[in-house]
Amino acid sequence: MKGGKASGGLVAVVDLTPAQAEAELARLASEIAHHDRLYYQQDNPEISDAAYDALRARNAEIERRFPDLVRLDSPSRRVGAPVAGGFAKIIHARPMLSLDNAFDEDDIRDFADRVRRFLKLEARESIELSAEPKIDGLSVSLRYEKGKFVTGATRGDGETGEDVTVNLRTLEDVPAYLKGRELPAVLEVRGEVYMQRADFLKLNASRKTKDEPPFANPRNAAAGSLRQLDPRITARRPLRFFGYALGEVVGGKVGDTHVHMLDRLRGWGVRVNPDTRLCADVDAALEYYRDIAARRARLAYDIDGVVYKVNRFEWQERLGMVSRAPRWAIAHKFPAEQARTRLNAITIQVGRTGTLTPVAELEPVNVGGVVVARATLHNEDEIRRKDTRIGDTVVVQRAGDVIPQVVGVVLNERPKGAKAFRFPDHCPVCGSLAVRAEGEAARRCSGGLTCPAQAVERLRHFVSRNAFDIEGLGEKHIEAFHADGILRTPGDIFRLHRRTREIEQREGWGAKSVERLLAAIEARRRISLERFVFALGIRQIGEATARLLARHYGSLGAWRKAMEAAVRHPEGEAAQDLDNISQIGPSMVADILAFFAEAHNGATLDDLAREIVVEDYVQPKTAGSPVAGKTVVFTGTLERMTRQEAKARAEALGAKVAGSVSKKTDLLVAGPGAGTKLADATKYGVTVIDEDAWLKLIGE
């Protein structure tokens, strides 16, 4: 994605206007979150690794060009997906981070140069890197106390994982007790649960004899096996484990370098990958990459790249992390695999927000051992740019074991008479006009709640795991209830108890199943403010932004009052206060106010207020924090940390970080080059301190 080139028919990043960039970042945040939930929660991805990486790469490129437009729910700030239902939760003592990706040697050299600049190393000083195969499995954390294995968890969203302790105890590679001396009092071992290729083939052969559906690939088999509610099933699956990093460590010595730490783990009885190698510099690391790529097919397990880590722990500590990923590590991905096949049809799907998405229906083709038959074509621009026509031979690409992307058309094999695809200008579901806003790539149905596709999707989103989390009210039930007029609005969910007999008489329902559903609904009549805001399905408002709004306004009543005032007076104080919230840009403000400007949405909120209780936001515990509850603004150049790091630290201490100074601001942290914000602080009588005073204030 270098040089501003666009992928998938999208506008090149170098050509994006700020409005287009903001809309594209919103689309990417929503699409990537969707794919994260499929991959991390359901072990059932629907796009290839290459397509997913391309989405993240485009998001990162836009954010680099438009740093002021970085969203609070940006994929660059997020790791994995929230914990799925059915498992208890474990809060990680230290976050389980994800990794940034690289796709060519120049990216790796850029990584090494960034490390060098950050550490202010001289050109002649080499940077040792640990290099290891990037296994395609499921990340977990093992916690040992006094050498005894006590808990194990999946990565989850990086902060909270699923408690899979009982299942992990069934793995031979997970020792119940560590051996040796100098064991830390607490030791968290991070690593990967995976399945060897030969074991995977045997498992699928066994499932075939039992008329059970085969797993698509070893990664899905490993993830699905570990995340079984019945540990006896996990025990029968050939799962393995490699340790490759540490979480919390209390007492004891683990070494001064990453490689030394791996040696200590090996000595304590933890399996580590024998193919890990210490590389003297970036050239040696790239040579390792080429070597492991050549041996890839002969390895016992699937890998999709190589992970490089700065070897010295002292440097890792200084480098720290940015949002979801450490600065001291990077994943060097392998190129995608490709194949040719026929495009049989292009179908249009209508999403929750009314977006019309074209889908390529392919002649099934084997790409790297996996049969694929569908691919997302993103939007009409991509179809037009590639001149994709039904009947064409197309090139499809994948890097994982899932649905690929169409990367091109083989024009010299085009059948005679093939006509250009005409993208519909009306919704295929409800017939409403499908409009395309200026500066946006997507075309959307204008039917809103009158469109069955959107209504069902909006209700599905409302009851989804990270919203109201109503178990037993799945998409098929919502579709059926909606079609028969039983369920039209969110408030109708909480009135289903009035239609008990009617539901019991429906196919697939009985007294017990209806009783369970109604009990699940009753259990959700109280909900936190942040989950409620997310459940409303306002465009661009994901979980992180919903949490930010809840934190800023505190209660549903205060939020509604402020938003309604902002709608009445777009230039007034309430609108300015919303726009002033850090990480909420003009496009998001417009979508929030558009929601409140619609009378039917106000009626929906009033209806819900008669059925449920929305609890006020509970501020995180920040006992002893000198900035808890204060509104802080940063301006000028910070010399000891980046602006994003400073904001993240302030928020972690309970402060509200705003983008501009107002009379509600408590503190302005000003570095060299401070401009109008400093003048505004003087105007409003806001306390002004420099970076050193800020660090002293927060105890750093």
Side-chain angles (χ1 to χ4, degrees), residues 260-290:
H260 187 192
M261 177 271 293
L262 293 179
D263 288 339
R264 297 303 300 270
L265 288 182
R266 188 182 294 110
W268 289 330
V270 177
R271 286 199 67 197
V272 299
N273 197 320
D275 279 310
T276 300
R277 184 183 301 172
L278 177 61
C279 303
D281 52 29
V282 68
D283 289 327
L286 292 173
E287 179 59 34
Y288 171 86
Y289 174 87
R290 291 187 284 270

PDB file of all heavy atoms in Angstrom, residues 260-290:
ATOM      1  N   HIS A 260      17.198 -15.207  26.083  1.00  0.00           N
ATOM      2  CA  HIS A 260      17.536 -15.754  27.398  1.00  0.00           C
ATOM      3  C   HIS A 260      16.267 -16.189  28.127  1.00  0.00           C
ATOM      4  O   HIS A 260      16.229 -17.246  28.783  1.00  0.00           O
ATOM      5  CB  HIS A 260      18.295 -14.709  28.222  1.00  0.00           C
ATOM      6  CG  HIS A 260      18.832 -15.241  29.508  1.00  0.00           C
ATOM      7  ND1 HIS A 260      19.337 -14.436  30.517  1.00  0.00           N
ATOM      8  CD2 HIS A 260      18.945 -16.519  29.979  1.00  0.00           C
ATOM      9  CE1 HIS A 260      19.713 -15.192  31.537  1.00  0.00           C
ATOM     10  NE2 HIS A 260      19.496 -16.447  31.231  1.00  0.00           N
ATOM     11  N   MET A 261      15.216 -15.387  28.004  1.00  0.00           N
ATOM     12  CA  MET A 261      13.945 -15.734  28.638  1.00  0.00           C
ATOM     13  C   MET A 261      13.398 -17.057  28.094  1.00  0.00           C
ATOM     14  O   MET A 261      12.901 -17.904  28.847  1.00  0.00           O
ATOM     15  CB  MET A 261      12.924 -14.608  28.409  1.00  0.00           C
ATOM     16  CG  MET A 261      11.533 -14.865  28.961  1.00  0.00           C
ATOM     17  SD  MET A 261      10.435 -15.716  27.777  1.00  0.00           S
ATOM     18  CE  MET A 261      10.249 -14.444  26.536  1.00  0.00           C
ATOM     19  N   LEU A 262      13.495 -17.253  26.783  1.00  0.00           N
ATOM     20  CA  LEU A 262      13.031 -18.509  26.197  1.00  0.00           C
ATOM     21  C   LEU A 262      13.829 -19.693  26.736  1.00  0.00           C
ATOM     22  O   LEU A 262      13.278 -20.773  26.978  1.00  0.00           O
ATOM     23  CB  LEU A 262      13.134 -18.450  24.673  1.00  0.00           C
ATOM     24  CG  LEU A 262      12.192 -17.467  23.952  1.00  0.00           C
ATOM     25  CD1 LEU A 262      12.445 -17.512  22.451  1.00  0.00           C
ATOM     26  CD2 LEU A 262      10.732 -17.778  24.249  1.00  0.00           C
ATOM     27  N   ASP A 263      15.121 -19.486  26.934  1.00  0.00           N
ATOM     28  CA  ASP A 263      15.955 -20.547  27.523  1.00  0.00           C
ATOM     29  C   ASP A 263      15.490 -20.879  28.932  1.00  0.00           C
ATOM     30  O   ASP A 263      15.456 -22.060  29.329  1.00  0.00           O
ATOM     31  CB  ASP A 263      17.424 -20.119  27.548  1.00  0.00           C
ATOM     32  CG  ASP A 263      18.053 -20.115  26.163  1.00  0.00           C
ATOM     33  OD1 ASP A 263      17.518 -20.801  25.278  1.00  0.00           O
ATOM     34  OD2 ASP A 263      19.070 -19.423  25.976  1.00  0.00           O
ATOM     35  N   ARG A 264      15.141 -19.835  29.710  1.00  0.00           N
ATOM     36  CA  ARG A 264      14.654 -20.080  31.067  1.00  0.00           C
ATOM     37  C   ARG A 264      13.333 -20.855  31.028  1.00  0.00           C
ATOM     38  O   ARG A 264      13.118 -21.793  31.806  1.00  0.00           O
ATOM     39  CB  ARG A 264      14.452 -18.754  31.827  1.00  0.00           C
ATOM     40  CG  ARG A 264      15.703 -17.930  32.066  1.00  0.00           C
ATOM     41  CD  ARG A 264      16.788 -18.701  32.824  1.00  0.00           C
ATOM     42  NE  ARG A 264      16.383 -19.153  34.133  1.00  0.00           N
ATOM     43  CZ  ARG A 264      16.541 -18.437  35.268  1.00  0.00           C
ATOM     44  NH1 ARG A 264      17.072 -17.229  35.213  1.00  0.00           N
ATOM     45  NH2 ARG A 264      16.171 -18.928  36.427  1.00  0.00           N
ATOM     46  N   LEU A 265      12.424 -20.469  30.122  1.00  0.00           N
ATOM     47  CA  LEU A 265      11.150 -21.183  30.002  1.00  0.00           C
ATOM     48  C   LEU A 265      11.382 -22.646  29.650  1.00  0.00           C
ATOM     49  O   LEU A 265      10.747 -23.546  30.223  1.00  0.00           O
ATOM     50  CB  LEU A 265      10.267 -20.534  28.930  1.00  0.00           C
ATOM     51  CG  LEU A 265       9.644 -19.165  29.251  1.00  0.00           C
ATOM     52  CD1 LEU A 265       8.764 -18.702  28.088  1.00  0.00           C
ATOM     53  CD2 LEU A 265       8.821 -19.220  30.528  1.00  0.00           C
ATOM     54  N   ARG A 266      12.294 -22.878  28.722  1.00  0.00           N
ATOM     55  CA  ARG A 266      12.603 -24.257  28.323  1.00  0.00           C
ATOM     56  C   ARG A 266      13.114 -25.049  29.530  1.00  0.00           C
ATOM     57  O   ARG A 266      12.731 -26.206  29.754  1.00  0.00           O
ATOM     58  CB  ARG A 266      13.639 -24.251  27.202  1.00  0.00           C
ATOM     59  CG  ARG A 266      13.889 -25.628  26.588  1.00  0.00           C
ATOM     60  CD  ARG A 266      14.973 -25.562  25.521  1.00  0.00           C
ATOM     61  NE  ARG A 266      14.561 -24.781  24.360  1.00  0.00           N
ATOM     62  CZ  ARG A 266      15.055 -23.590  24.042  1.00  0.00           C
ATOM     63  NH1 ARG A 266      15.971 -23.024  24.816  1.00  0.00           N
ATOM     64  NH2 ARG A 266      14.641 -22.956  22.970  1.00  0.00           N
ATOM     65  N   GLY A 267      13.955 -24.422  30.332  1.00  0.00           N
ATOM     66  CA  GLY A 267      14.491 -25.085  31.523  1.00  0.00           C
ATOM     67  C   GLY A 267      13.435 -25.366  32.573  1.00  0.00           C
ATOM     68  O   GLY A 267      13.552 -26.336  33.340  1.00  0.00           O
ATOM     69  N   TRP A 268      12.401 -24.545  32.607  1.00  0.00           N
ATOM     70  CA  TRP A 268      11.324 -24.743  33.585  1.00  0.00           C
ATOM     71  C   TRP A 268      10.268 -25.737  33.087  1.00  0.00           C
ATOM     72  O   TRP A 268       9.295 -26.004  33.784  1.00  0.00           O
ATOM     73  CB  TRP A 268      10.645 -23.407  33.896  1.00  0.00           C
ATOM     74  CG  TRP A 268      11.523 -22.485  34.721  1.00  0.00           C
ATOM     75  CD1 TRP A 268      12.471 -22.855  35.619  1.00  0.00           C
ATOM     76  CD2 TRP A 268      11.506 -21.049  34.708  1.00  0.00           C
ATOM     77  NE1 TRP A 268      13.063 -21.740  36.179  1.00  0.00           N
ATOM     78  CE2 TRP A 268      12.490 -20.616  35.638  1.00  0.00           C
ATOM     79  CE3 TRP A 268      10.786 -20.091  34.010  1.00  0.00           C
ATOM     80  CZ2 TRP A 268      12.753 -19.270  35.881  1.00  0.00           C
ATOM     81  CZ3 TRP A 268      11.046 -18.751  34.247  1.00  0.00           C
ATOM     82  CH2 TRP A 268      12.016 -18.356  35.177  1.00  0.00           C
ATOM     83  N   GLY A 269      10.431 -26.229  31.860  1.00  0.00           N
ATOM     84  CA  GLY A 269       9.519 -27.253  31.350  1.00  0.00           C
ATOM     85  C   GLY A 269       8.479 -26.769  30.371  1.00  0.00           C
ATOM     86  O   GLY A 269       7.570 -27.527  30.010  1.00  0.00           O
ATOM     87  N   VAL A 270       8.592 -25.513  29.917  1.00  0.00           N
ATOM     88  CA  VAL A 270       7.646 -24.969  28.944  1.00  0.00           C
ATOM     89  C   VAL A 270       8.204 -25.179  27.539  1.00  0.00           C
ATOM     90  O   VAL A 270       9.363 -24.858  27.275  1.00  0.00           O
ATOM     91  CB  VAL A 270       7.399 -23.468  29.185  1.00  0.00           C
ATOM     92  CG1 VAL A 270       6.463 -22.898  28.117  1.00  0.00           C
ATOM     93  CG2 VAL A 270       6.822 -23.232  30.572  1.00  0.00           C
ATOM     94  N   ARG A 271       7.396 -25.684  26.636  1.00  0.00           N
ATOM     95  CA  ARG A 271       7.847 -25.894  25.265  1.00  0.00           C
ATOM     96  C   ARG A 271       7.952 -24.558  24.538  1.00  0.00           C
ATOM     97  O   ARG A 271       7.029 -23.734  24.573  1.00  0.00           O
ATOM     98  CB  ARG A 271       6.883 -26.801  24.494  1.00  0.00           C
ATOM     99  CG  ARG A 271       6.955 -28.264  24.867  1.00  0.00           C
ATOM    100  CD  ARG A 271       6.350 -29.126  23.773  1.00  0.00           C
ATOM    101  NE  ARG A 271       7.149 -29.086  22.560  1.00  0.00           N
ATOM    102  CZ  ARG A 271       6.715 -29.465  21.356  1.00  0.00           C
ATOM    103  NH1 ARG A 271       5.478 -29.879  21.205  1.00  0.00           N
ATOM    104  NH2 ARG A 271       7.508 -29.413  20.309  1.00  0.00           N
ATOM    105  N   VAL A 272       9.093 -24.331  23.895  1.00  0.00           N
ATOM    106  CA  VAL A 272       9.279 -23.154  23.050  1.00  0.00           C
ATOM    107  C   VAL A 272       9.694 -23.645  21.666  1.00  0.00           C
ATOM    108  O   VAL A 272      10.205 -24.759  21.518  1.00  0.00           O
ATOM    109  CB  VAL A 272      10.314 -22.181  23.628  1.00  0.00           C
ATOM    110  CG1 VAL A 272       9.868 -21.662  24.982  1.00  0.00           C
ATOM    111  CG2 VAL A 272      11.676 -22.842  23.737  1.00  0.00           C
ATOM    112  N   ASN A 273       9.499 -22.823  20.679  1.00  0.00           N
ATOM    113  CA  ASN A 273       9.749 -23.247  19.307  1.00  0.00           C
ATOM    114  C   ASN A 273      11.253 -23.392  19.041  1.00  0.00           C
ATOM    115  O   ASN A 273      11.989 -22.414  19.151  1.00  0.00           O
ATOM    116  CB  ASN A 273       9.142 -22.235  18.327  1.00  0.00           C
ATOM    117  CG  ASN A 273       8.999 -22.796  16.938  1.00  0.00           C
ATOM    118  OD1 ASN A 273       9.863 -23.509  16.455  1.00  0.00           O
ATOM    119  ND2 ASN A 273       7.899 -22.469  16.272  1.00  0.00           N
ATOM    120  N   PRO A 274      11.705 -24.573  18.659  1.00  0.00           N
ATOM    121  CA  PRO A 274      13.134 -24.768  18.402  1.00  0.00           C
ATOM    122  C   PRO A 274      13.627 -24.028  17.171  1.00  0.00           C
ATOM    123  O   PRO A 274      14.834 -23.869  16.979  1.00  0.00           O
ATOM    124  CB  PRO A 274      13.253 -26.290  18.214  1.00  0.00           C
ATOM    125  CG  PRO A 274      11.887 -26.727  17.777  1.00  0.00           C
ATOM    126  CD  PRO A 274      10.931 -25.824  18.480  1.00  0.00           C
ATOM    127  N   ASP A 275      12.695 -23.554  16.320  1.00  0.00           N
ATOM    128  CA  ASP A 275      13.104 -22.819  15.125  1.00  0.00           C
ATOM    129  C   ASP A 275      13.322 -21.336  15.396  1.00  0.00           C
ATOM    130  O   ASP A 275      13.634 -20.588  14.469  1.00  0.00           O
ATOM    131  CB  ASP A 275      12.046 -22.985  14.029  1.00  0.00           C
ATOM    132  CG  ASP A 275      12.197 -24.303  13.289  1.00  0.00           C
ATOM    133  OD1 ASP A 275      13.322 -24.600  12.850  1.00  0.00           O
ATOM    134  OD2 ASP A 275      11.198 -25.039  13.174  1.00  0.00           O
ATOM    135  N   THR A 276      13.167 -20.900  16.640  1.00  0.00           N
ATOM    136  CA  THR A 276      13.469 -19.510  16.984  1.00  0.00           C
ATOM    137  C   THR A 276      14.968 -19.277  16.841  1.00  0.00           C
ATOM    138  O   THR A 276      15.782 -20.114  17.232  1.00  0.00           O
ATOM    139  CB  THR A 276      13.022 -19.197  18.420  1.00  0.00           C
ATOM    140  OG1 THR A 276      11.609 -19.404  18.516  1.00  0.00           O
ATOM    141  CG2 THR A 276      13.336 -17.755  18.782  1.00  0.00           C
ATOM    142  N   ARG A 277      15.330 -18.118  16.277  1.00  0.00           N
ATOM    143  CA  ARG A 277      16.744 -17.834  16.043  1.00  0.00           C
ATOM    144  C   ARG A 277      17.080 -16.409  16.460  1.00  0.00           C
ATOM    145  O   ARG A 277      16.273 -15.486  16.242  1.00  0.00           O
ATOM    146  CB  ARG A 277      17.090 -18.019  14.557  1.00  0.00           C
ATOM    147  CG  ARG A 277      18.573 -17.825  14.235  1.00  0.00           C
ATOM    148  CD  ARG A 277      18.827 -17.957  12.752  1.00  0.00           C
ATOM    149  NE  ARG A 277      18.414 -19.263  12.235  1.00  0.00           N
ATOM    150  CZ  ARG A 277      18.398 -19.564  10.943  1.00  0.00           C
ATOM    151  NH1 ARG A 277      18.745 -18.655  10.044  1.00  0.00           N
ATOM    152  NH2 ARG A 277      18.020 -20.769  10.545  1.00  0.00           N
ATOM    153  N   LEU A 278      18.270 -16.218  17.065  1.00  0.00           N
ATOM    154  CA  LEU A 278      18.763 -14.882  17.387  1.00  0.00           C
ATOM    155  C   LEU A 278      19.513 -14.342  16.175  1.00  0.00           C
ATOM    156  O   LEU A 278      20.454 -14.972  15.682  1.00  0.00           O
ATOM    157  CB  LEU A 278      19.687 -14.923  18.602  1.00  0.00           C
ATOM    158  CG  LEU A 278      20.321 -13.580  18.991  1.00  0.00           C
ATOM    159  CD1 LEU A 278      19.241 -12.558  19.357  1.00  0.00           C
ATOM    160  CD2 LEU A 278      21.294 -13.764  20.152  1.00  0.00           C
ATOM    161  N   CYS A 279      19.086 -13.178  15.690  1.00  0.00           N
ATOM    162  CA  CYS A 279      19.683 -12.571  14.500  1.00  0.00           C
ATOM    163  C   CYS A 279      20.450 -11.309  14.905  1.00  0.00           C
ATOM    164  O   CYS A 279      19.918 -10.459  15.619  1.00  0.00           O
ATOM    165  CB  CYS A 279      18.608 -12.217  13.481  1.00  0.00           C
ATOM    166  SG  CYS A 279      17.587 -13.639  12.994  1.00  0.00           S
ATOM    167  N   ALA A 280      21.670 -11.197  14.414  1.00  0.00           N
ATOM    168  CA  ALA A 280      22.546 -10.093  14.836  1.00  0.00           C
ATOM    169  C   ALA A 280      22.045  -8.744  14.352  1.00  0.00           C
ATOM    170  O   ALA A 280      22.303  -7.717  14.984  1.00  0.00           O
ATOM    171  CB  ALA A 280      23.967 -10.333  14.334  1.00  0.00           C
ATOM    172  N   ASP A 281      21.327  -8.707  13.231  1.00  0.00           N
ATOM    173  CA  ASP A 281      20.835  -7.444  12.687  1.00  0.00           C
ATOM    174  C   ASP A 281      19.687  -7.730  11.739  1.00  0.00           C
ATOM    175  O   ASP A 281      19.266  -8.887  11.563  1.00  0.00           O
ATOM    176  CB  ASP A 281      21.955  -6.677  11.977  1.00  0.00           C
ATOM    177  CG  ASP A 281      22.680  -7.532  10.942  1.00  0.00           C
ATOM    178  OD1 ASP A 281      22.050  -8.449  10.373  1.00  0.00           O
ATOM    179  OD2 ASP A 281      23.877  -7.292  10.710  1.00  0.00           O
ATOM    180  N   VAL A 282      19.178  -6.682  11.105  1.00  0.00           N
ATOM    181  CA  VAL A 282      18.009  -6.842  10.248  1.00  0.00           C
ATOM    182  C   VAL A 282      18.323  -7.694   9.022  1.00  0.00           C
ATOM    183  O   VAL A 282      17.461  -8.441   8.532  1.00  0.00           O
ATOM    184  CB  VAL A 282      17.447  -5.459   9.847  1.00  0.00           C
ATOM    185  CG1 VAL A 282      18.390  -4.722   8.920  1.00  0.00           C
ATOM    186  CG2 VAL A 282      16.063  -5.603   9.207  1.00  0.00           C
ATOM    187  N   ASP A 283      19.552  -7.619   8.508  1.00  0.00           N
ATOM    188  CA  ASP A 283      19.916  -8.454   7.356  1.00  0.00           C
ATOM    189  C   ASP A 283      19.847  -9.932   7.714  1.00  0.00           C
ATOM    190  O   ASP A 283      19.350 -10.757   6.927  1.00  0.00           O
ATOM    191  CB  ASP A 283      21.325  -8.100   6.863  1.00  0.00           C
ATOM    192  CG  ASP A 283      21.373  -6.734   6.184  1.00  0.00           C
ATOM    193  OD1 ASP A 283      20.370  -6.356   5.557  1.00  0.00           O
ATOM    194  OD2 ASP A 283      22.405  -6.050   6.291  1.00  0.00           O
ATOM    195  N   ALA A 284      20.325 -10.284   8.896  1.00  0.00           N
ATOM    196  CA  ALA A 284      20.272 -11.679   9.339  1.00  0.00           C
ATOM    197  C   ALA A 284      18.820 -12.117   9.546  1.00  0.00           C
ATOM    198  O   ALA A 284      18.458 -13.264   9.256  1.00  0.00           O
ATOM    199  CB  ALA A 284      21.070 -11.850  10.624  1.00  0.00           C
ATOM    200  N   ALA A 285      18.011 -11.200  10.033  1.00  0.00           N
ATOM    201  CA  ALA A 285      16.594 -11.531  10.246  1.00  0.00           C
ATOM    202  C   ALA A 285      15.893 -11.807   8.914  1.00  0.00           C
ATOM    203  O   ALA A 285      15.094 -12.741   8.795  1.00  0.00           O
ATOM    204  CB  ALA A 285      15.902 -10.386  10.982  1.00  0.00           C
ATOM    205  N   LEU A 286      16.196 -11.007   7.893  1.00  0.00           N
ATOM    206  CA  LEU A 286      15.588 -11.216   6.582  1.00  0.00           C
ATOM    207  C   LEU A 286      16.087 -12.509   5.941  1.00  0.00           C
ATOM    208  O   LEU A 286      15.338 -13.182   5.226  1.00  0.00           O
ATOM    209  CB  LEU A 286      15.873 -10.015   5.680  1.00  0.00           C
ATOM    210  CG  LEU A 286      15.170  -8.714   6.097  1.00  0.00           C
ATOM    211  CD1 LEU A 286      15.650  -7.544   5.252  1.00  0.00           C
ATOM    212  CD2 LEU A 286      13.655  -8.857   5.985  1.00  0.00           C
ATOM    213  N   GLU A 287      17.329 -12.866   6.198  1.00  0.00           N
ATOM    214  CA  GLU A 287      17.844 -14.139   5.702  1.00  0.00           C
ATOM    215  C   GLU A 287      17.101 -15.298   6.365  1.00  0.00           C
ATOM    216  O   GLU A 287      16.780 -16.301   5.727  1.00  0.00           O
ATOM    217  CB  GLU A 287      19.341 -14.242   5.980  1.00  0.00           C
ATOM    218  CG  GLU A 287      19.987 -15.545   5.522  1.00  0.00           C
ATOM    219  CD  GLU A 287      19.823 -15.775   4.019  1.00  0.00           C
ATOM    220  OE1 GLU A 287      19.839 -14.778   3.264  1.00  0.00           O
ATOM    221  OE2 GLU A 287      19.679 -16.944   3.620  1.00  0.00           O
ATOM    222  N   TYR A 288      16.803 -15.159   7.656  1.00  0.00           N
ATOM    223  CA  TYR A 288      16.013 -16.173   8.366  1.00  0.00           C
ATOM    224  C   TYR A 288      14.631 -16.292   7.738  1.00  0.00           C
ATOM    225  O   TYR A 288      14.115 -17.398   7.550  1.00  0.00           O
ATOM    226  CB  TYR A 288      15.887 -15.794   9.845  1.00  0.00           C
ATOM    227  CG  TYR A 288      14.919 -16.658  10.619  1.00  0.00           C
ATOM    228  CD1 TYR A 288      15.333 -17.858  11.181  1.00  0.00           C
ATOM    229  CD2 TYR A 288      13.586 -16.274  10.782  1.00  0.00           C
ATOM    230  CE1 TYR A 288      14.443 -18.657  11.895  1.00  0.00           C
ATOM    231  CE2 TYR A 288      12.693 -17.067  11.481  1.00  0.00           C
ATOM    232  CZ  TYR A 288      13.121 -18.252  12.038  1.00  0.00           C
ATOM    233  OH  TYR A 288      12.240 -19.041  12.722  1.00  0.00           O
ATOM    234  N   TYR A 289      14.017 -15.152   7.414  1.00  0.00           N
ATOM    235  CA  TYR A 289      12.694 -15.163   6.790  1.00  0.00           C
ATOM    236  C   TYR A 289      12.714 -15.956   5.487  1.00  0.00           C
ATOM    237  O   TYR A 289      11.825 -16.789   5.231  1.00  0.00           O
ATOM    238  CB  TYR A 289      12.247 -13.721   6.533  1.00  0.00           C
ATOM    239  CG  TYR A 289      10.964 -13.580   5.752  1.00  0.00           C
ATOM    240  CD1 TYR A 289       9.729 -13.589   6.388  1.00  0.00           C
ATOM    241  CD2 TYR A 289      10.996 -13.424   4.364  1.00  0.00           C
ATOM    242  CE1 TYR A 289       8.544 -13.451   5.669  1.00  0.00           C
ATOM    243  CE2 TYR A 289       9.820 -13.282   3.637  1.00  0.00           C
ATOM    244  CZ  TYR A 289       8.604 -13.300   4.290  1.00  0.00           C
ATOM    245  OH  TYR A 289       7.439 -13.168   3.578  1.00  0.00           O
ATOM    246  N   ARG A 290      13.717 -15.690   4.661  1.00  0.00           N
ATOM    247  CA  ARG A 290      13.813 -16.400   3.385  1.00  0.00           C
ATOM    248  C   ARG A 290      14.022 -17.897   3.600  1.00  0.00           C
ATOM    249  O   ARG A 290      13.466 -18.737   2.876  1.00  0.00           O
ATOM    250  CB  ARG A 290      14.931 -15.799   2.537  1.00  0.00           C
ATOM    251  CG  ARG A 290      14.619 -14.383   2.032  1.00  0.00           C
ATOM    252  CD  ARG A 290      15.666 -13.884   1.070  1.00  0.00           C
ATOM    253  NE  ARG A 290      16.889 -13.472   1.741  1.00  0.00           N
ATOM    254  CZ  ARG A 290      17.128 -12.236   2.189  1.00  0.00           C
ATOM    255  NH1 ARG A 290      16.206 -11.294   2.041  1.00  0.00           N
ATOM    256  NH2 ARG A 290      18.273 -11.940   2.773  1.00  0.00           N
TER     257      ARG A 290
END
